[in-house]
C-alpha cells in the first residue's frame, strides 16, 4: 500500500471517514472554485520560477474552468479570482523574497519512503528554495483569510509541515500563504521542526497504518455543540443513511484505493 499525509490525517480525524473514502471509494465532489483556483495558481507560480509569464500561465490554466459549474463562495466569481491571482503574482514578484534556483528539480518534488510493514509513504513537496536568503522546504497555500500567526512558534505544530520535514529531512520549513482579499497579502510563515518531532511523526504514521491494516474503523462522531466535525464532513449522508445528502456531496469511485496518494495533490 502507498500512504500519504492526507490519508493519515483523514484516519486521525475519523476512521469511519477513512473507510468511506479510501476503501469504499466515496469521494467528495470537487466543485469548489477555491480548490480549482489554488491548483491553477500553483502552476502560475511554477511558470514564475521558470521565468515565464506567470500572469499568462494563470489565465490559461484558469480559463479551462471558465464554463465549468463551480461553487463560488459569497462575492467570488471567475473574473474576481483571476484579478486577485494576478495581483498576488505581481506582489510576489515585487517582494522578491522567495528564490527557487533550480525549478526543474525543486518544484513539486515527489519524495517516497519505505515503511517497516512493506508499505511506502509518498509526499509531494511544493518547493525547496530560499526565503530571504535561507534554505526552506516550502508549501504554497491560497486562502481568503490570513493565517493566525500568534502565539510565536505556532506553525512548528502544523502536522503537514512536520510530515514534510520528516519525509525530506529538512528542518527549516515554511508556508507561503497567498491571501485573496480586497488588499491582497502574502504571509511568509517560517518555522523549524525538531528531530524529536520528525521521529514522533514517523511513529504516528506506523501506529496509524497498523490500525488501518487491522481494519479498525470506528466513527468519531462526538456530536457536541457548537464544534462538531460531523457537520462539516462530506460523508455525513452515509452515516445518516440520507441518500439525498450523499448525492449532493459524494461520488463513488470504485477501486480507488490504489491511487489514494494522488489526493495529496489537491491539498
Ligand atoms: S459524519 Fe462524522 S462519524 Fe460520519 S464519517 Fe463524517 S466525521 Fe465520521
Amino acid at each position: 500500500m502507498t500512504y500519504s499525509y492526507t490519508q493519515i490525517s483523514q484516519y486521525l480525524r475519523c476512521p469511519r471517514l477513512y473507510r468511506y473514502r479510501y476503501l469504499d471509494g466515496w469521494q467528495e465532489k470537487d466543485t469548489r472554485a477555491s480548490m480549482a483556483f489554488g491548483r491553477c495558481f500553483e502552476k502560475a507560480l511554477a511558470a514564475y520560477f521558470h521565468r515565464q509569464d506567470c500572469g499568462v500561465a494563470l489565465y490559461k490554466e484558469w480559463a479551462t474552468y471558465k464554463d465549468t459549474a463551480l461553487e463560488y463562495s459569497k462575492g467570488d466569481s471567475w473574473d474576481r479570482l483571476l484579478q486577485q491571482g494576478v495581483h498576488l503574482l505581481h506582489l510576489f514578484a515585487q517582494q522578491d523574497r522567495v528564490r527557487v534556483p533550480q525549478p526543474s528539480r525543486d518544484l513539486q518534488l515527489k519524495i517516497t519512503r519505505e515503511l517497516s510493514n512493506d508499505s511506502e509513504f509518498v509526499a509531494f513537496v511544493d518547493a525547496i528554495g530560499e526565503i530571504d536568503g535561507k534554505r526552506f522546504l516550502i508549501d504554497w497555500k491560497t486562502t481568503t483569510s490570513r493565517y493566525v500567526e500568534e502565539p510565536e512558534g505556532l506553525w512548528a505544530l502544523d502536522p503537514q509541515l512536520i510530515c514534510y520535514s520528516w519525509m525530506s529531512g529538512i528542518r527549516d520549513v515554511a508556508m507561503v500563504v497567498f491571501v485573496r482579499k480586497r488588499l491582497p497579502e502574502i504571509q511568509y510563515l517560517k518555522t523549524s521542526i525538531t528531530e524529536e518531532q520528525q521521529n514522533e511523526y514517523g511513529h504516528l504514521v506506523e501506529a496509524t497504518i497498523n490500525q488501518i491494516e487491522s481494519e479498525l474503523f470506528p466513527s468519531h462522531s462526538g456530536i457536541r455543540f457548537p464544534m462538531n466535525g460531523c457537520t462539516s464532513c462530506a460523508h455525513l449522508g452515509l452515516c445518516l443513511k440520507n441518500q439525498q445528502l450523499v448525492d449532493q456531496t459524494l461520488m463513488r469511485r470504485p477501486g480507488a484505493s490504489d491511487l489514494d496518494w494522488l489526493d495529496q495533490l489537491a491539498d
Side-chain angles (χ1 to χ4, degrees):
M1 273 295 285
T2 301
Y3 292 94
S4 69
Y5 167 75
T6 309
Q7 279 172 276
I8 299 300
S9 62
Q10 295 271 3
Y11 185 88
L12 294 173
R13 178 180 170 197
C14 174
R16 181 64 51 86
L17 164 58
Y18 180 96
R19 194 190 78 190
Y20 286 149
R21 180 168 171 182
Y22 294 105
L23 279 90
D24 300 346
W26 287 106
Q27 208 189 5
E28 192 174 354
K29 289 177 184 170
D30 195 2
T31 52
R32 285 165 295 174
S34 56
M35 292 291 286
F37 182 77
R39 287 194 290 271
C40 297
F41 192 81
E42 288 192 11
K43 289 191 179 149
L45 284 174
Y48 169 83
F49 289 113
H50 280 102
R51 298 180 181 281
Q52 295 160 0
D53 189 329
C54 53
V56 170
L58 179 65
Y59 180 82
K60 271 191 190 159
E61 292 291 336
W62 189 224
T64 61
Y65 291 96
K66 190 155 191 179
D67 299 318
T68 309
L70 293 175
E71 282 169 40
Y72 288 89
S73 28
K74 202 168 164 238
D76 270 350
S77 65
W78 188 91
D79 289 307
R80 189 173 150 85
L81 263 67
L82 178 65
Q83 267 172 19
Q84 289 173 329
V86 170
H87 201 146
L88 280 164
L89 288 169
H90 277 301
L91 189 62
F92 187 60
Q94 218 172 41
Q95 294 179 342
D96 194 23
R97 293 178 61 180
V98 182
R99 302 269 162 90
V100 180
Q102 292 187 266
S104 306
R105 191 192 65 185
D106 290 339
L107 289 175
Q108 281 300 320
L109 280 99
K110 181 182 175 185
I111 306 176
T112 55
R113 184 179 179 127
E114 298 296 323
L115 300 174
S116 60
N117 51 359
D118 282 343
S119 307
E120 72 170 0
F121 197 95
V122 65
F124 282 86
V125 169
D126 285 342
I128 294 176
E130 291 168 10
I131 303 180
D132 304 327
K134 186 176 170 187
R135 185 171 182 259
F136 282 91
L137 179 147
I138 303 168
D139 194 46
W140 316 122
K141 297 284 182 208
T142 49
T143 171
T144 49
S145 46
R146 298 185 90 248
Y147 280 20
V148 176
E149 293 189 55
E150 301 286 338
E152 199 186 327
L154 184 67
W155 287 96
L157 303 178
D158 181 77
Q160 193 172 12
L161 290 178
I162 296 172
C163 171
Y164 289 171
S165 175
W166 167 67
M167 283 296 281
S168 64
I170 299 173
R171 290 187 42 198
D172 291 318
V173 293
M175 277 194 194
V176 176
V177 184
F178 295 87
V179 192
R180 296 192 293 106
K181 53 182 190 168
R182 204 168 54 80
L183 279 181
E185 182 187 351
I186 304 172
Q187 293 175 280
Y188 301 86
L189 306 173
K190 299 182 270 186
T191 192
S192 191
I193 305 297
T194 64
E195 204 178 317
E196 189 186 352
Q197 285 177 293
Q198 292 173 337
N199 292 337
E200 265 179 17
Y201 192 83
H203 293 314
L204 179 68
V205 167
E206 297 277 358
T208 307
I209 290 174
N210 281 340
Q211 291 183 51
I212 292 171
E213 296 191 349
S214 305
E215 300 183 19
L216 295 173
F217 302 112
S219 65
H220 277 196
S221 55
I223 299 289
R224 294 193 77 180
F225 183 81
M227 294 300 287
N228 159 18
C230 294
T231 54
S232 60
C233 176
H235 296 74
L236 180 61
L238 292 172
C239 282
L240 298 182
K241 300 192 180 5
N242 178 332
Q243 190 58 43
Q244 199 183 352
L245 208 50
V246 170
D247 294 341
Q248 260 171 31
T249 56
L250 300 174
M251 58 186 178
R252 192 85 191 263
R253 197 174 58 142
S257 56
D258 292 349
L259 294 173
D260 286 343
W261 54 270
L262 281 173
D263 291 335
Q264 187 171 324
L265 286 170
D267 292 333

